[in-house]
Amino acid sequence: QAAMAARFHLESDAQWLYLRFVGRDYRVSRTSGAVEWTEDGFATAHEAGYNDAMTIYDVLCNSKADCRAAGTYRNMSALSGIQGGAVSGSGSMLQGTVRWLDGHRDRIAGACERLGGMPDARGDIGYRLPMFDFLDVILRFWEADEDFPASLDIMVDDNMLDFMHYETVWFAIIHLLERVREEMER
């Protein structure tokens, strides 16, 4: 646990390791491994869901000892050594997400900003979002028009697989999109 806290510069105390994940504060129990989140400084705590808990566990327990964000990004389907698994476009695995994002440019922008995102110049809407304090992703969205369907690109850090397994990247991205949706609905 000390190595985890040191590697990611996590706050900790005798009971918990603390970290930020997709705009929300989390803590991991040092004894049980329970993962909780809060929006009020842990005056109240909520049990983490599957995607957020599994992502946090994988990053804390399985990241490479020397993991560092590259600060350069590529489409998730182009991660080194991975074949298939298209992420962008209307025919992708995220087609339902593309549909509910379409036509909501201002709400997407507001959600991304509330999650700590910084504008990215590409797409009708583009934001660099902190997945963790130490690892960003880029969300780029193009709305449908008379010539093209809506399209979503998720760009991940070139060193993403130093932090988590490929399968976990999907948990993290699904959680990110759920958080965007939650913030859009606020």
Side-chain angles (χ1 to χ4, degrees):
Q1 292 176 3
M4 292 173 193
R7 181 179 307 140
F8 299 114
H9 309 286
L10 304 180
E11 291 184 33
S12 62
D13 58 32
Q15 291 182 289
W16 304 96
L17 296 174
Y18 298 91
L19 69 156
R20 206 152 162 78
F21 179 48
V22 192
R24 189 177 269 163
D25 292 322
Y26 283 81
R27 65 186 181 186
V28 181
S29 170
R30 287 178 168 266
T31 55
S32 71
V35 180
E36 300 176 343
W37 61 268
T38 189
E39 292 182 340
D40 61 9
F42 290 104
T44 58
H46 309 275
E47 182 179 348
Y50 182 81
N51 291 329
D52 42 347
M54 293 307 293
T55 302
I56 290 168
Y57 288 148
D58 198 24
V59 169
L60 294 180
C61 298
N62 296 313
S63 59
K64 292 183 179 179
D66 61 347
C67 61
R68 297 282 178 270
T72 54
Y73 301 87
R74 65 181 66 207
N75 190 290
M76 188 176 140
S77 61
L79 284 173
S80 179
I82 304 301
Q83 299 288 325
V87 177
S88 62
S90 59
S92 77
M93 291 176 58
L94 301 175
Q95 187 173 7
T97 301
V98 171
R99 278 195 302 270
W100 62 255
L101 288 172
D102 198 23
H104 301 288
R105 186 184 304 204
D106 292 339
R107 289 176 58 206
I108 297 167
C112 289
E113 289 170 10
R114 285 188 294 281
L115 293 173
M118 299 297 295
D120 178 74
R122 295 208 173 143
D124 291 332
I125 288 287
Y127 277 86
R128 190 169 108 184
L129 296 159
M131 182 169 283
F132 292 96
D133 289 342
F134 47 84
L135 188 65
D136 293 344
V137 296
I138 297 174
L139 182 145
R140 293 178 179 153
F141 183 73
W142 289 264
E143 292 185 311
D145 62 23
E146 60 277 354
D147 296 319
F148 297 100
S151 178
L152 172 66
D153 282 341
I154 306 291
M155 310 294 288
V156 297
D157 190 274
D158 283 340
N159 292 342
M160 182 69 101
L161 297 181
D162 290 352
F163 290 89
M164 63 186 84
H165 293 97
Y166 179 75
E167 296 81 3
T168 306
V169 176
W170 281 103
F171 297 148
I173 295 304
I174 290 167
H175 181 69
L176 172 86
L177 294 171
E178 288 170 352
R179 291 286 294 126
V180 169
R181 188 174 199 157
E182 287 173 13
E183 291 297 328
M184 286 174 63
E185 292 173 351
R186 282 188 179 207

